[in-house]
Amino acid sequence: MHTGDGAYIKKINRSYILTEIFEHHKISRASLSKVTGLNKATISVQVNDLLDEDLIYERQEEHHSVGRRPILLSINEKTAYFLGIDLEHDQLLFNITDLKGNTVKYEKVDLLTDIYDEIVALIADRIKKYQADFESTRYGLVKTVIAIHGTVSSDNRIHFIPRNQWRDKNILTDLNKLGINNITIENNANLSAYAERIFQYHKSKNLLNINLSSGIGSGIIINGELHKGYHGHAGEMGHMIIYPKGKPCRCGNKGCWERYASEPIFFENANKYLETKVETHADIKRLLNEKNEDLIKVLNEWISDLAIGLNNVINLYNPEMIVLNSPILKIYSCALEEIKKHLISSVSQYRDIVISGLGAKASVVGASAMGIQQFLDLPRLTLSETNNSITI
């Protein structure tokens, strides 16, 4: 413990103060002193430094009661910007937020190639464009965090992306060669879990986020921290075997969870049993509105296999909050009711299970938020969900 290091203590105090300003949105110097336990002189020095750095602003509030109008501190959202990139196999999602985590730009770019070098060059060009867009602000585009749909090693390398068949790619070095710095990469499900806690479930220190997409990935938060495992590969729950000697999986095993409960499997099953083609989420929504019994049967059978894996992970992790990120489940109004029918074990314990409101934006808004926390070196971060939700 660096008890004698004045600079270290000053840094810790600064982090506490910024953390409380984020959490309270608007707070006075006197209230900051109370919630942090720091004396008023320390608060005054730190606040003046933060004002000089344009990270916060101070404003006298309007009020209609007798007495002096309060002067409150807030985060200066327009001083710095953060880019989150979701690197999917067929498209890139770009999300830029301000310092308060509000999305100011959200764009999709279809990928017409799966060649690694071409995609890295495309990402570099986009980052340079966004840097130019925000160069007039105090700090500009400060940080970029890229969501990877695969395993990310603890040394910040792409270990493996199954859909692209990329192995052992050092994307940070390759972007540096193209003039791009201040980059972090992280698994997309980890960023989704991080986003759910930062924007939605601030008090949930044990949260499990499960993404149902082309496969099944999960982000695990234990005691408030992302759980990444020994090499950074924790959370590959889609490759848990739920049917021994079942369907072959691209990982080499048979009977993996994602071979029964990922979204492509639902579409595959629906097109086996329904006379009409089911190719999009809009098709599912239309058939549900028509109360198509065959579709509902396929949905409930798919949910039954989904629940097998959920039972397993609940018993393994005892999560407080389980967040399921799936457009199909969001469309189906009976989804949670059907899932809970299968979660009846007296051993399984969890507080709540919900469907994500962040949806497809979860990993990119999580990426941007992670950039904010890293830039300010905060012990924790609380942001409001403003314009980050999506609708289907």
Side-chain angles (χ1 to χ4, degrees):
M1 185 174 180
H2 305 272
T3 54
D5 189 335
Y8 175 79
I9 294 171
K10 185 176 181 180
K11 179 181 175 183
I12 294 297
N13 290 342
R14 170 191 170 96
S15 295
Y16 285 152
I17 289 168
L18 279 170
T19 298
E20 294 299 336
I21 296 173
F22 269 106
E23 194 158 319
H24 289 85
H25 307 298
K26 297 178 180 180
I27 188 169
S28 68
R29 295 188 186 211
S31 296
L32 264 180
S33 181
K34 289 178 182 178
V35 297
T36 62
L38 299 172
N39 63 49
K40 292 181 180 179
T42 299
I43 293 291
S44 180
V45 170
Q46 291 278 0
V47 164
N48 288 338
D49 286 346
L50 293 170
L51 288 168
D52 288 343
E53 295 171 40
D54 284 338
L55 293 174
I56 63 174
Y57 62 83
E58 200 167 31
R59 183 170 296 166
Q60 198 164 43
E61 293 290 295
E62 292 290 340
H63 77 139
H64 303 288
S65 58
V66 177
R68 184 178 175 184
R69 289 188 295 169
I71 299 175
L72 302 180
L73 301 164
S74 296
I75 296 297
N76 182 2
E77 67 270 28
K78 296 179 180 180
T79 197
Y81 295 85
F82 303 84
L83 173 62
I85 303 175
D86 192 356
L87 174 51
E88 296 193 36
H89 73 281
D90 59 351
Q91 65 180 5
L92 290 166
L93 305 181
F94 297 91
N95 189 83
I96 297 176
T97 68
D98 60 26
L99 191 56
K100 283 186 177 178
N102 301 308
T103 294
V104 297
K105 185 183 286 285
Y106 179 69
E107 295 184 328
K108 296 181 183 180
V109 175
D110 290 331
L111 286 174
L112 305 177
T113 178
D114 62 358
I115 297 172
Y116 172 78
D117 290 338
E118 293 179 4
I119 293 174
V120 170
L122 174 59
I123 290 172
D125 287 343
R126 277 276 164 169
I127 293 173
K128 289 175 182 176
K129 174 184 176 297
Y130 295 137
Q131 287 173 338
D133 289 344
F134 293 94
E135 65 182 358
S136 62
T137 61
R138 171 73 183 262
Y139 295 98
L141 190 70
V142 175
K143 182 84 178 178
T144 298
V145 178
I146 304 175
I148 303 297
H149 288 246
T151 49
V152 175
S153 298
S154 52
D155 61 356
N156 266 319
R157 295 171 67 96
I158 295 174
H159 177 67
F160 182 47
I161 299 181
R163 293 295 292 269
N164 300 77
Q165 287 296 300
W166 294 352
R167 296 180 185 272
D168 297 320
K169 298 293 187 181
N170 194 338
I171 192 170
L172 302 189
T173 297
D174 295 332
L175 284 168
N176 287 344
K177 291 175 182 176
L178 297 173
I180 305 298
N181 300 301
N182 296 322
I183 308 290
T184 298
I185 63 171
E186 182 57 83
N187 172 266
N188 72 302
N190 284 349
L191 287 170
S192 294
Y194 177 83
E196 296 293 347
R197 181 158 193 258
I198 295 296
F199 287 100
Q200 298 253 30
Y201 307 107
H202 307 132
K203 304 299 182 183
S204 297
K205 291 189 175 181
N206 293 279
L207 182 148
L208 180 63
N209 177 87
I210 297 176
N211 285 351
L212 305 175
S213 54
S214 56
I216 297 179
S218 65
I220 308 159
I221 292 177
I222 298 176
N223 295 328
E225 300 291 337
L226 276 172
H227 174 67
K228 299 185 182 183
Y230 177 50
H231 283 301
H233 302 172
E236 290 296 320
M237 293 178 184
H239 298 288
M240 151 178 59
I241 295 172
I242 64 167
Y243 286 107
K245 300 179 182 178
K247 297 177 185 177
C249 180
R250 61 191 173 190
C251 76
N253 282 325
K254 293 181 179 180
C256 291
W257 191 23
E258 70 174 38
R259 293 291 288 119
Y260 297 86
S262 60
E263 289 213 343
I265 298 303
F266 169 79
F267 283 104
E268 182 183 307
N269 293 341
N271 285 306
K272 281 181 184 176
Y273 297 107
L274 273 70
E275 294 181 2
T276 182
K277 274 282 185 185
V278 183
E279 297 179 331
T280 67
H281 296 113
D283 293 335
I284 299 171
K285 193 170 186 177
R286 173 177 53 80
L287 290 169
L288 282 172
N289 289 336
E290 295 171 3
K291 295 182 170 53
N292 185 292
E293 292 184 4
D294 290 334
L295 179 80
I296 292 170
K297 182 181 178 181
V298 173
L299 267 170
N300 289 340
E301 288 175 352
W302 178 71
I303 284 173
S304 176
D305 284 333
L306 172 62
I308 293 174
L310 286 177
N311 268 292
N312 291 342
V313 298
I314 288 169
N315 287 330
L316 281 170
Y317 289 100
N318 182 214
E320 176 188 359
M321 179 67 64
I322 304 163
V323 183
L324 303 176
N325 196 321
S326 162
I328 292 176
L329 295 179
K330 193 171 181 68
I331 293 167
Y332 185 31
S333 62
C334 298
L336 287 178
E337 178 186 344
E338 288 297 322
I339 289 169
K340 289 177 181 179
K341 285 180 183 178
H342 299 279
L343 305 180
I344 57 175
S345 169
S346 60
V347 176
S348 300
Q349 297 292 321
Y350 64 96
R351 184 174 67 80
D352 201 5
I353 182 167
V354 297
I355 295 171
S356 173
L358 295 174
K361 287 187 72 176
S363 61
V364 281
V365 298
S368 298
M370 185 171 283
I372 294 171
Q373 188 167 9
Q374 291 175 352
F375 170 58
L376 296 175
D377 195 19
L378 302 178
R380 69 179 189 276
L381 180 63
T382 300
L383 298 174
S384 297
E385 184 194 356
T386 52
N387 55 342
N388 291 320
S389 295
I390 66 162
T391 56
I392 294 175

